[in-house]
Amino acid sequence: MFNSLQLIGHLGADPETRFFESGSQVSRFTLYLNERYKTNGEPQERTHRFNVEAWGKTADFVTNYLRKGSRVAISGALIENTWQDGDGQSHSRVIVRANRVENLTPRKGGEPEATEEPSHDTESV
């Protein structure tokens, strides 16, 4: 079984970063992708939203270089988080765990911003 995906979209808000006593960090953000298509010849648009998290050096890159509206390419995997709340109800959420993030937002000179190298951090909390 192979779990890999690639997405290109825009950040809906500035990333939120959390630091742990161990020294590791996680950055979380929402990625929006617009899908354009036609139905009966009429143009349509649908927006898809993905919750993304990055760990380690990738999280550091996200924190330092990305902001709301940044256009990015992400390589990663789908991860399902499951938990029980205080009432014993089970919950689950699927997120994208990014292991590579590339900033596609052009700088003023026309060149894209920096690219983060692939990280093999697999930390989670």
Side-chain angles (χ1 to χ4, degrees):
M1 184 174 198
F2 190 66
N3 182 1
S4 178
L5 61 88
Q6 295 181 335
L7 301 169
I8 296 176
H10 293 86
L11 272 69
D14 288 347
E16 295 179 14
T17 302
R18 184 173 166 196
F19 296 89
F20 299 95
E21 288 182 22
S22 66
S24 63
Q25 67 181 7
V26 62
S27 289
R28 294 183 173 111
F29 58 92
T30 303
L31 185 73
Y32 290 89
L33 295 106
N34 294 321
E35 175 187 14
R36 292 182 179 95
Y37 58 97
K38 290 187 179 185
T39 302
N40 298 324
E42 294 294 319
Q44 306 287 322
E45 186 171 327
R46 182 180 345 184
T47 301
H48 301 278
R49 184 181 84 179
F50 295 89
N51 293 316
V52 181
E53 72 177 26
W55 289 85
K57 291 188 327 184
T58 306
D60 189 51
F61 174 81
V62 167
T63 300
N64 291 317
Y65 292 99
L66 302 182
R67 297 290 172 260
K68 177 180 180 177
S70 294
R71 184 168 187 245
V72 296
I74 295 174
S75 297
L78 290 177
I79 306 293
E80 182 179 19
N81 291 330
T82 58
W83 69 95
Q84 286 190 337
D85 64 19
D87 296 330
Q89 294 288 339
S90 295
H91 301 273
S92 68
R93 180 176 93 154
V94 175
I95 62 165
V96 175
R97 169 95 33 89
N99 58 29
R100 179 176 167 78
V101 176
E102 182 176 352
N103 189 351
L104 301 177
T105 305
R107 290 188 289 183
K108 292 180 182 175
E111 291 296 316
E113 290 279 347
T115 299
E116 196 280 321
E117 289 303 315
S119 172
H120 300 289
D121 297 327
T122 56
E123 303 172 52
S124 64
V125 173

